[in-house]
Amino acid sequence: MSARTAASRKYYRHYFWEEFTSDWGPRSGERNQPRPPVWAEQGLRALREGLGRAPGTVAGMRHLHRVELTDAARSSERLPLTYRAEHAALTLFGLHQHGAAQPVHRPGVGLGTACQVMRVHVTAESEKAAGRRLTATEEQRVAAPVRRRLTAAATALDLDELVHHLHGLVLLLRRADIGLDYTRLHRDLCDWLTPHHGRVLRSWGLQYTDPAPVAQITQARPSGGDTESPYWSGFDPVRPETGAELAALRSGLGEEAGTVPAMWTFYRTRMGSELRTRGALTRDLVAEHAALTLFGIHQQGRNQSMHAPGTSPGAACRLLLARNKNMDRTALEKRLGALITSLDTGELTHHLRSLVPLLRQADIGLDYTLLRRALRDWDDPKRPDAQSRIRNAWDHDFRRENPQT
């Protein structure tokens, strides 16, 4: 099967899983359940033979590859990444398709989306067995194996380890009759540990936490929960799991937004499913990531919430002076001055990171919803007046008389 690319005007063959899916149907002269042609079934057997084998060593798989090897690549000690990634995607597809009643290559269903659907599926099955709706804690416990496997895959140190974890995920997906876009997976495998690595991780995490209904993929009930309320607004420091949650937030310090699997479930940024699938790095997501990591530092060891609605960094510094008579006003003014004259969001985050520990020691909170908005708007070219407006407001909050103590 072939197709013409508009850009290059050259012919190319679709990937094996695409050919397999497009040729699925009734065989000539048969009226029974649609199934793949004989050539495709033979290909599946060859793919299963390739499980655990090195790329290029399984003779029956060679004609199933669509990534062409040059003579130099064939004589090289290490095959190109695109070829090794295709070998992995082929073997995973063979494992996934084995015994399935329908094609498992489902265009548009990324790995994160498939895991989200599986999480919903196992929750629904558990509720059916229990005869009642599960509590939030029970849902988390039931879905934990899915989350652990996806997290293990996302933290793999090389392609071989990643494929190992994906084998386990694929078996769960096959059992639940959930498909996967193998063309997208192949691209993700090609991008692993490359400059595009962050995009892959972000797309998996954003897909997995997408609040959009999954009814178009499965009839299972989507999990509930308020996806609009930021983590800090409902924070309860007395819950036993808060220590682990705050540690997860601090693990994102210095990391790109969306690339730390431990933080995925804490994001509440509104984003369309298309942007999530692409792993888009939006200003909203960057700002929320920075605010979450700062809150993780601020809340550490405190027995009351450090989210204080209405308290800007300027007001917090004013309170710091009022409560600590030994505080050097000049030094604090310089610190605040450096903060409010930051050129971009990155510099602003850096200065906030040095201020937050001082506020934590004095039990002074910050309005993290306000802070998140400021981080989003600070150097936004669409809001040219935002930086001066925020700067003036924070400076005014610092210098006003009779602060609340």
Side-chain angles (χ1 to χ4, degrees), residues 232-250:
W232 50 78
S233 67
F235 181 79
D236 183 0
V238 302
R239 290 185 300 117
E241 59 269 28
T242 57
E245 292 176 355
L246 294 174
L249 299 184
R250 292 192 297 274

Side-chain angles (χ1 to χ4, degrees), residues 200-219:
V200 177
L201 291 177
R202 192 161 42 251
S203 66
W204 291 358
L206 291 172
Q207 290 168 36
Y208 184 68
T209 56
D210 190 350
V214 293
Q216 68 273 24
I217 303 173
T218 178
Q219 296 302 314

Side-chain angles (χ1 to χ4, degrees), residues 147-219:
R147 185 178 63 253
R148 283 198 299 268
R149 287 181 181 273
L150 179 59
T151 300
T155 53
L157 299 178
D158 55 38
L159 184 62
D160 291 337
E161 184 183 351
L162 172 60
V163 173
H164 169 75
H165 291 302
L166 289 177
H167 280 166
L169 268 175
V170 160
L171 290 174
L172 292 179
L173 293 173
R174 183 179 72 183
R175 196 176 307 152
D177 193 25
I178 297 170
L180 188 62
D181 187 334
Y182 274 87
T183 303
R184 184 179 300 278
L185 182 64
H186 175 239
R187 186 186 67 180
D188 290 346
L189 294 173
C190 288
D191 289 343
W192 198 253
L193 298 184
T194 72
H196 302 292
H197 184 77
R199 178 203 61 80
V200 177
L201 291 177
R202 192 161 42 251
S203 66
W204 291 358
L206 291 172
Q207 290 168 36
Y208 184 68
T209 56
D210 190 350
V214 293
Q216 68 273 24
I217 303 173
T218 178
Q219 296 302 314

Side-chain angles (χ1 to χ4, degrees), residues 143-386:
V146 178
R147 185 178 63 253
R148 283 198 299 268
R149 287 181 181 273
L150 179 59
T151 300
T155 53
L157 299 178
D158 55 38
L159 184 62
D160 291 337
E161 184 183 351
L162 172 60
V163 173
H164 169 75
H165 291 302
L166 289 177
H167 280 166
L169 268 175
V170 160
L171 290 174
L172 292 179
L173 293 173
R174 183 179 72 183
R175 196 176 307 152
D177 193 25
I178 297 170
L180 188 62
D181 187 334
Y182 274 87
T183 303
R184 184 179 300 278
L185 182 64
H186 175 239
R187 186 186 67 180
D188 290 346
L189 294 173
C190 288
D191 289 343
W192 198 253
L193 298 184
T194 72
H196 302 292
H197 184 77
R199 178 203 61 80
V200 177
L201 291 177
R202 192 161 42 251
S203 66
W204 291 358
L206 291 172
Q207 290 168 36
Y208 184 68
T209 56
D210 190 350
V214 293
Q216 68 273 24
I217 303 173
T218 178
Q219 296 302 314
R221 175 185 61 78
S223 58
D226 182 1
T227 58
E228 301 301 328
S229 179
Y231 173 75
W232 50 78
S233 67
F235 181 79
D236 183 0
V238 302
R239 290 185 300 117
E241 59 269 28
T242 57
E245 292 176 355
L246 294 174
L249 299 184
R250 292 192 297 274
S251 70
L253 285 168
E255 301 294 337
E256 191 176 65
T259 63
V260 181
M263 291 186 65
W264 285 346
T265 57
F266 301 108
Y267 293 123
R268 303 291 186 269
T269 295
R270 293 184 180 182
M271 189 184 298
S273 295
E274 182 180 350
L275 290 176
R276 290 175 179 271
T277 298
R278 290 196 285 120
L281 185 62
T282 64
R283 299 189 65 86
D284 282 332
L285 184 65
V286 171
E288 185 179 25
H289 176 87
L292 284 168
T293 57
L294 290 168
F295 182 74
I297 298 172
H298 203 164
Q299 190 63 54
Q300 184 180 16
R302 302 294 93 183
N303 56 10
Q304 63 181 18
S305 176
M306 290 292 101
H307 170 54
T311 304
S312 70
C317 288
R318 191 70 175 90
L319 289 170
L320 190 59
L321 278 178
R323 294 186 184 181
N324 188 350
K325 302 304 181 181
N326 297 322
M327 176 66 65
D328 186 336
R329 182 185 181 94
T330 301
L332 187 61
E333 285 182 337
K334 287 182 179 179
R335 186 185 293 272
L336 181 62
L339 187 150
I340 64 178
T341 56
S342 298
L343 297 178
D344 54 33
T345 299
E347 185 180 349
L348 178 61
T349 303
H350 171 75
H351 289 302
L352 285 168
R353 196 179 302 167
S354 65
L355 174 63
V356 159
L358 297 178
L359 301 179
R360 182 184 65 204
Q361 292 172 8
D363 275 329
I364 298 172
L366 280 173
D367 186 334
Y368 276 87
T369 301
L370 179 150
L371 198 64
R372 172 188 176 181
R373 191 179 307 120
L375 288 164
R376 181 195 64 198
D377 297 345
W378 192 259
D379 54 357
D380 187 351
K382 296 181 180 179
R383 297 178 172 87
D385 299 329

